[in-house]
Amino acid sequence: MALWLVAASQTGAHDDKPHPVKKDDEHLHAPVPPGYADVKAALHIWTDAAVLRRGEAIYAAKCAVCHGTQGDGDGPEATWLGPKIASFRDRAMVAEMSDAYWFWRVSEGGLVEPYKSKHSVMPAYKDSLSIEDRWAVIAYQHSHSGHAGPHTAAEHPEMHAESRPHPEPRGLAFGSQWVTRDHRWQPRGPWKWAVMHDLPQLYREFNGIDFGHAHLAETLLRTQDPKQVEKARLQVIDFIFSSPPVPPDEEQVAPTFNRMAWEVAKTFDWAHVFHRSLYDLFASDKVKDKDAVYRKLLADYLEKPEAITPHRLDHHGALWSFPESKSFRDKFRTFNTQIWAYHWLQAAVYDVQFLGDVRKQQEVMPKVIAFYHGYLRRPPEKWQYMPMMPEAAPEFAKRFPEAAAIFDNLHMLHDNFDDILARPDLYPTMKAKRAAILAILPIYLHRSHGVTDLYPDFHERPGGTQMEGHGGMAMTDMGPRPPSVEQVLSGTAPAGDQSQPPGSTPSSPQHKR
């Protein structure tokens, strides 16, 4: 066996049995699972100067952004993350961490329970760092604890206390790997459920859209046969026109997708909750200062580890320059533009809501929904690019640019995701698909665009607008563009796939180039 990974010996170190449940501000040390439980470091690594130098370089590149340059858990990204970041200067905490536990956490990151359910965003380094490199960074992390010797009971007297078996805490099962479902619920307020109660037809349209995205993902994971994909598209149309009274359980509609890429599912879920919360807010006559509530809902959303950035990203260029980009659009054009029609409605609704109180919305909304149904019956296949919020909802985009950017970014993430699923030649296995998806997802997350911007090349280019200046996608390449709500209500919007030609002058001043 390699020097770096030798059989565990009996010491007074942490015995990896469950600890009593700790308070939220304490660091949780879960039992180490089989496969890692017998791992132990070679004794020399804790004091080997070459190993520590190697560990320091890795730590600076991969760990300091969260754990801080001195290991205090105060890195520039720490404030955006879910659980409290560990401080390696905490002598007692370090003493609790056996070799096996430490190696397991660095290897698997936040992908394992109970850390996954606590929204840990720590990356798993088992595929990006060799065994030697993982031990090197662990040794360097250990050096922050103030101990100059090896990670043993002789060096950490606290370890002697950990040699006694820990009592089995009551209720531990509720933190186990089997209890992982994270119910998403809208923030409370007098606006909640306003759409369901006062705009029930719109509520049912949104339920159909929820089904549509999930059913597509599950279908593409199962087959690329054009006839089967078209059959799935028609099933979605049937479901939407059935006017579903309750939202579908997307985990049951798309169980394979939810198991394969749960991180993306959470990102979609929280963005959809934010969407629904804003629709409810603008449908409610019970709230007078809606701008103040908007700011509260936005702040609540951005606290989520899975929140999408409100920075406008480079949709036409960098985010559509991956090997698989445009694959779903070009391979399944009808289904693709049907999805883009969903996005048009989701945007257009906001500008309808800005026309007046709920009675005005009840009067106007059916006309916009009827126009959307025309898109479902005849998807606008000449569209070459997804509808943007400033096109369908220019007033909303002007008043609430952060949410508009979040939703445009969300819809682009949907496109990236579908492109990956549409290319089994590039990503033939579930593991390959998952890796491709997780390589793109961090680009979209708010925490990736904080004080230390991890993806500056993916921001919208300076001087560009939402519809141009994005890396060379010319207006002539974008095909006809979708209409604004103003055009629909005035009767000047072309129906079906004859939408607004690029470069024309729409009636809304927000659309002028």
Side-chain angles (χ1 to χ4, degrees):
M1 184 173 291
L3 181 63
W4 291 88
L5 197 59
V6 298
S9 61
Q10 295 295 323
T11 71
H14 184 286
D15 62 4
D16 297 319
K17 293 184 179 180
H19 282 220
V21 176
K22 296 186 173 187
K23 295 182 294 184
D24 289 342
D25 62 350
E26 292 184 297
H27 195 68
L28 172 63
H29 291 137
V32 180
Y36 285 97
D38 292 332
V39 169
K40 190 166 181 61
L43 195 60
H44 81 277
I45 71 165
W46 309 106
T47 55
D48 188 310
V51 172
L52 292 173
R53 283 195 299 272
R54 176 60 181 156
E56 182 178 13
I58 297 169
Y59 182 90
K62 297 182 178 293
C63 310
V65 67
C66 295
H67 289 279
T69 56
Q70 301 302 315
D72 288 296
D74 60 352
E77 292 298 315
T79 56
W80 302 106
L81 306 181
K84 182 179 179 181
I85 303 299
S87 168
F88 300 115
R89 299 173 73 86
D90 183 341
R91 296 169 63 96
M93 185 204 77
V94 170
E96 289 182 346
M97 295 168 63
S98 68
D99 296 6
Y101 172 83
W102 214 327
F103 189 79
W104 170 54
R105 292 289 285 120
V106 170
S107 298
E108 300 291 344
L111 301 182
V112 293
E113 294 296 352
Y115 308 101
K116 182 172 77 171
S117 293
K118 290 181 175 292
H119 307 298
S120 171
V121 296
M122 177 178 170
Y125 291 108
K126 60 183 179 181
D127 294 325
S128 59
L129 291 179
S130 67
I131 291 174
E132 290 84 354
D133 283 348
R134 275 175 273 167
W135 280 123
V137 77
I138 288 170
Y140 179 73
Q141 290 170 346
H142 170 265
S143 71
H144 285 294
S145 67
H147 297 283
H151 187 52
T152 63
E155 177 67 18
H156 296 284
E158 302 96 324
M159 284 183 171
H160 289 294
E162 298 301 324
S163 63
R164 299 189 301 273
H166 294 291
E168 186 72 18
R170 293 180 63 186
L172 182 67
F174 292 100
S176 75
Q177 62 179 321
W178 302 110
V179 186
T180 60
R181 186 179 176 90
D182 186 1
H183 292 276
R184 311 238 173 248
W185 208 247
Q186 297 180 29
R188 293 182 178 181
W191 60 86
K192 192 173 181 181
W193 307 124
V195 170
M196 183 178 69
H197 292 306
D198 297 326
L199 299 169
Q201 182 185 7
L202 178 64
Y203 182 76
R204 291 171 179 237
E205 297 297 331
F206 289 155
N207 295 341
I209 289 173
D210 289 349
F211 174 79
H213 277 300
H215 191 46
L216 169 63
E218 197 70 7
T219 300
L220 292 177
L221 284 168
R222 186 181 69 251
T223 181
Q224 300 289 308
D225 179 70
K227 292 182 179 179
Q228 292 299 312
V229 175
E230 175 63 9
K231 179 180 178 181
R233 185 186 75 83
L234 295 176
Q235 289 171 339
V236 173
I237 292 291
D238 288 343
F239 185 81
I240 291 174
F241 282 114
S242 75
S243 192
V246 295
D249 184 339
E250 294 183 54
E251 290 185 20
Q252 293 200 29
V253 176
T256 311
F257 155 58
N258 275 274
R259 288 196 301 269
M260 179 192 71
W262 58 267
E263 300 92 337
V264 180
K266 281 189 174 184
T267 300
F268 289 158
D269 285 347
W270 276 125
H272 295 160
V273 167
F274 184 41
H275 243 322
R276 294 254 191 170
S277 295
L278 293 186
Y279 294 131
D280 281 338
L281 172 63
F282 299 131
S284 174
D285 290 341
K286 297 178 180 179
V287 180
K288 301 306 178 185
D289 190 352
K290 294 187 178 181
D291 285 33
V293 176
Y294 164 79
R295 291 192 294 271
K296 179 180 182 300
L297 291 172
L298 176 66
D300 178 78
Y301 171 70
L302 293 178
E303 287 180 355
K304 308 293 187 295
E306 302 88 358
I308 290 174
T309 178
H311 298 289
R312 295 207 68 88
L313 300 179
D314 184 6
H315 302 109
H316 302 75
L319 289 173
W320 225 8
S321 62
F322 304 115
E324 68 277 2
S325 290
K326 307 179 184 67
S327 295
F328 180 69
R329 183 199 70 177
D330 296 341
K331 192 174 182 180
F332 302 108
R333 187 169 291 273
T334 305
F335 209 154
N336 175 75
T337 46
Q338 178 176 309
I339 290 171
W340 284 352
Y342 308 160
H343 296 167
W344 178 85
L345 177 69
Q346 289 173 315
V349 163
Y350 286 117
D351 268 20
V352 175
Q353 293 186 301
F354 288 168
L355 294 176
D357 62 13
V358 68
R359 296 187 66 176
K360 180 65 175 179
Q361 295 176 40
Q362 290 168 342
E363 173 191 339
V364 173
M365 198 70 74
K367 185 172 183 178
V368 173
I369 292 175
F371 188 90
Y372 159 69
H373 283 177
Y375 280 150
L376 296 183
R377 293 186 176 93
R378 188 184 180 190
E381 294 185 6
K382 291 185 180 179
W383 285 358
Q384 300 299 311
Y385 192 76
M386 69 177 188
M388 305 290 286
M389 297 293 295
E391 294 180 300
E395 183 63 23
F396 175 77
K398 181 175 70 175
R399 288 179 56 182
F400 303 107
E402 305 93 345
I406 288 168
F407 298 142
D408 278 340
N409 294 340
L410 165 70
H411 296 160
M412 191 70 215
L413 177 58
H414 272 297
D415 279 9
N416 287 151
F417 178 77
D418 293 337
D419 284 340
I420 289 170
L421 298 188
R423 291 298 301 269
D425 56 323
L426 294 177
Y427 312 108
T429 66
M430 289 292 185
K431 183 176 181 181
K433 291 179 177 68
R434 173 176 168 78
I437 291 165
L438 294 188
I440 289 176
L441 177 61
I443 299 169
Y444 285 90
L445 299 184
H446 180 42
R447 65 171 183 260
S448 299
H449 299 276
V451 177
T452 304
D453 199 315
L454 303 181
Y455 297 98
D457 293 342
F458 286 88
H459 281 247
E460 181 178 81
R461 293 187 179 183
T465 69
Q466 288 86 353
M467 297 306 303
E468 60 187 352
H470 287 265
M473 188 172 188
M475 292 298 299
T476 54
D477 296 333
M478 298 183 69
R481 300 309 302 151
S484 67
V485 166
E486 182 181 342
Q487 290 174 285
V488 172
L489 297 180
S490 66
T492 61
D497 61 358
Q498 305 300 314
S499 304
Q500 188 71 36
S504 62
T505 304
S507 58
S508 171
Q510 294 297 320
H511 285 233
K512 291 181 180 178
R513 307 294 183 227

